[in-house]
Amino acid sequence: MSNTPNVTRVKQTSGSSSISSLLYSQKIAPYVFVLPFIISFSVFFAYPVVSAFIMSFQEIVPGSSKFIGFDNYKELWNPTFFKAIKNSTVYTALTLLLLIPIPLVLAAFLNSKVMIFKNFFRSTLFIPALTSVVVAGTIFRLAFGELDGSLMNTFITALGFEKQRWLGDRWLGLMTLLILACWRWMGINMLYFMAGLQNISKEVYESAEIDGANTWKKFTNITVPLLKPITIYVFTISIYGGYAMFTESYMLYSGNRSPKDIGLTMVGYLYRSGWEQNNLGLGAAVGIVLLAITFIITFVQLNLFGLFKKEE
Amino acid sequence: MRKKSLSLLSVSLVMTLALSACGGNNANNTANNAGKATNEGSGNTAPSTAKATKVEFWTFQQLHAEFYTEMVKRWNTANPDKTIELVANVSPYDDVHNKLLVALQSGSGAPDFADIEISKFPNYIKGEPQLVPLNDIVEPDLDNLVKARFDIYAKDGNYYGIDYHVGASVIYYNKEILDKAGVNADDIKTWDDFAKAGKVVLDKTGIPMTTLETSEQWSMWLQTAQLPSKDDLLKADGTPNLDGPEVTQVMKWQQEQMKSGVAVGAPGGFHHAEEYFGFMGKGGAASVWMPLWYMGRFTDSMPDLKGKMIIRPMPAWSTGEPRSAGMGGTATVITKQTKSEDLVKQFLSFAKLSKEGSIATWTILGFDPLRSDVWDDEAMKAPNKFTEYFGNNIFDVLTEVKDEIEGINIGEKTPQVIDAIKTQSNVRILLDNEDTEKVLKDVNSGL
């Protein structure tokens, strides 16, 4: 064993000139450096997508999988799947409405000179992102329970309202999911915006002050436009995050079983058809449709933001 | 020159690193082996000269792993010439089922034997089952076994799984509440009696008689399966039967109880929700019907009810009709990927089908054993945490309903039907008060 490295070293010496020329070649080196990404991308992304695409045209049964044309996609034409699309879309839209403006304003506050306890607020707003969804979902389920003694029911009955079946109602259930999402993601999005704010130079604000701009004017005319690249980024990942939401709903309803499917998301439907009912072909078809939807929406959104236009 | 020697150095460094990494791996492997060997040594009471066969087992239930660990010990003592080294892996419910499904579908990575829960079981016998038929160990003992529990894991005449228990369904009454209302549990013979007694309990104590599951299937499945008809959630031929007369009768009855306040929706939606445990544990309802394995939920999650609960046969739909159904369950299966099929089969037969194994399912797990000939065995009378909680008559109740335990139909559509019950029919009928027949027709046509 101890001899082996020496042997290789001897071998290397004889071939070293060709290897070093390879390493220093301007044509090849870039590929060597991006290789780790290419490999992990193709193994963990491209290959699964391609095989999911193929599987979506198959009936997957051990020992006798066969191609069945568009049957899986035809089977998707059902009210449950439409409900899942609708739920995911509404959820995504509402998270965008909440999780872009609020963190932006919060970031501006925390970046301001007059704000006190900055570090305290920064860390408390960020801590939820570090908790596991499973733990958070379970605690939210109990806090939003239907019994008199649950946290939310104690709270609203004290305020004089009637107790609610929070998770049993379409809109209250959605609201709970949104509160969970805001609680969890607020800090992360805020962090992105704060990073963006550091990049806006003080001089721009100073010259605006000289021109007599008030705080609101500075926010709308300097902060918001200059944060556009960050906003686009947050927007894009939020669209993906919204459509990919599953664990939150799964934990909140302790399983994929919300009443009348009010909490069923597209990934929830994928999980149900692919795993719970062992119909991987149908599950793959759901995945492909999900991919198509997020792809189209992201493309349209990036186009609207003008990301594909040439810089002027 | 400097450049060259530098690159040479780095390359040789990389090579040594790679090689030493290989060496490290080997060392790790030996360490692992050593660890396992000591494990085996401590698990083995008999001095074995023959090398133990390593057998891997997957489950989602820690108790089941402990059961097999104990049974392997007993097996090794009895069979020193073919000892087993058990590697039991316990992972969460969904993880185990998903991993096993992938392993069986892809043809590699599956354990020698594994647990599959009944509502997932049909997923595993789709197409060409990747499980070993167990007919040669099941059939010789079938006369002493509750056959219905084997039919649910069968396909084309092959038995693929062995359950842990009969899962006979019973009703649990909170005697303290019944006494307050002056109701005697033994007078409740039919579901009509139950509804009348429920009214009395509600009027006198203000406590609902029972809870019904709105996001799970047990409450209605038990009541449907106990009907003498061959059809329950599925027809005998495997087609969905949610709009059939059986389910309709049950759901209409349940809706009436909800309307009159005799029953309320189970807090949290089902009888395994933390909220339900809290509610029931504080005397929130006077009764619940669940299979016998639900005893463990009382002892573990509702300790305050100790000494207050009594077990009785379920009421019948009309006098003389069956009062129980074998329900729920988890099958142990042997995968086709095992390399020691015969040994695992013999062990499984020893652990679950033999008299000794059957008694152990009660003493270790608190389950009602698959062999009905051990139910009146002396060993079943020994006190344990269940007799302390519920009293000594647990097996008297079982023996009483022995010939009334109805089977259930399980087929490829089962997971889909259960999903529909969990998310659609129960909520709409019990909580939203929609017309029962219309909802059931609606839901069934969507399957």
Side-chain angles (χ1 to χ4, degrees), chain B residues 11 23 36 39 42 68 70 99 110 144 164 186 213 249 267 283 349-350 388:
Chain B
V11 166
K36 271 168 197 156
N39 260 344
S42 63
Y68 280 119
E70 170 63 25
K99 263 164 68 183
N144 293 320
Y164 286 84
D186 293 315
E213 289 184 314
Q249 177 188 346
S349 163
F350 166 80
E388 273 169 31

Side-chain angles (χ1 to χ4, degrees), chain B residues 169-429:
Chain B
S169 49
V170 291
I171 187 162
Y172 302 84
Y173 290 110
N174 186 326
K175 193 160 181 298
E176 200 181 52
I177 299 176
L178 292 192
D179 286 347
K180 245 185 237 167
V183 169
N184 181 356
D186 293 315
D187 294 341
I188 303 174
K189 303 278 184 209
T190 65
W191 287 112
D192 281 341
D193 297 343
F194 181 87
K196 276 180 207 138
K199 261 257 171 294
V200 177
V201 170
L202 183 67
D203 290 343
K204 292 213 173 143
T205 63
I207 297 171
M209 182 66 166
T210 193
T211 48
L212 296 172
E213 289 184 314
T214 55
S215 70
E216 236 178 46
Q217 72 282 7
W218 303 114
S219 315
M220 54 85 69
W221 201 1
L222 298 187
Q223 284 192 315
T224 313
Q226 73 169 138
L227 282 163
S229 157
K230 284 263 170 284
D231 305 338
D232 46 276
L233 301 187
L234 297 185
K235 290 201 181 89
D237 64 3
T239 52
N241 189 39
L242 286 184
D243 59 350
E246 297 82 12
V247 180
T248 313
Q249 177 188 346
V250 169
M251 292 315 290
K252 272 192 172 161
W253 184 87
Q254 290 200 351
Q255 195 180 42
E256 269 171 40
Q257 308 315 313
M258 291 290 286
K259 278 185 191 159
S260 67
V262 167
V264 293
F270 57 114
H271 289 150
H272 286 93
E274 295 93 343
E275 288 177 282
Y276 172 77
F277 291 150
F279 171 84
M280 189 70 185
K282 278 187 248 150
S287 71
V288 60
W289 55 92
M290 283 299 273
L292 199 66
W293 45 256
Y294 195 72
M295 281 194 305
R297 311 307 190 281
F298 275 105
T299 53
D300 295 350
S301 306
M302 296 174 264
D304 293 347
L305 294 178
K306 186 173 179 178
K308 294 180 190 167
M309 299 305 294
I310 53 172
I311 297 178
R312 289 290 177 273
M314 272 167 76
W317 282 105
S318 30
T319 325
E321 281 188 0
R323 289 177 291 170
S324 188
M327 191 55 71
T330 296
T332 306
V333 301
I334 302 178
T335 68
K336 276 194 176 163
Q337 291 170 32
T338 177
K339 291 197 178 72
S340 26
E341 187 183 315
D342 285 332
L343 178 68
V344 181
K345 260 190 192 171
Q346 285 167 24
F347 168 68
L348 203 57
S349 163
F350 166 80
K352 275 190 165 174
L353 299 176
S354 70
K355 260 196 157 171
E356 186 188 351
S358 259
I359 292 171
T361 52
W362 164 249
T363 52
I364 301 176
L365 295 168
F367 290 156
D368 40 348
L370 287 172
R371 279 183 87 107
S372 51
D373 59 343
V374 302
W375 289 358
D376 40 19
D377 195 284
E378 274 308 305
M380 312 301 282
K381 297 231 163 61
N384 59 14
K385 66 171 175 177
F386 301 109
T387 54
E388 273 169 31
Y389 195 105
F390 295 101
N392 288 321
N393 75 329
I394 302 174
F395 278 91
D396 299 341
V397 174
L398 271 190
T399 325
E400 193 184 333
V401 296
K402 191 170 161 181
D403 302 319
E404 302 174 34
I405 302 175
E406 287 283 296
I408 43 175
N409 298 325
I410 296 286
E412 282 187 13
K413 284 277 178 191
T414 300
Q416 236 178 311
V417 169
I418 286 179
D419 274 338
I421 293 170
K422 282 180 174 177
T423 57
Q424 296 289 331
S425 63
N426 276 7
V427 193
R428 289 171 61 182
I429 294 169

Side-chain angles (χ1 to χ4, degrees), chain A residues 297-309:
Chain A
I297 292 181
T298 312
F299 192 78
V300 168
Q301 167 248 330
L302 291 179
N303 221 349
L304 285 180
F305 272 121
L307 206 73
F308 297 125
K309 282 185 210 140

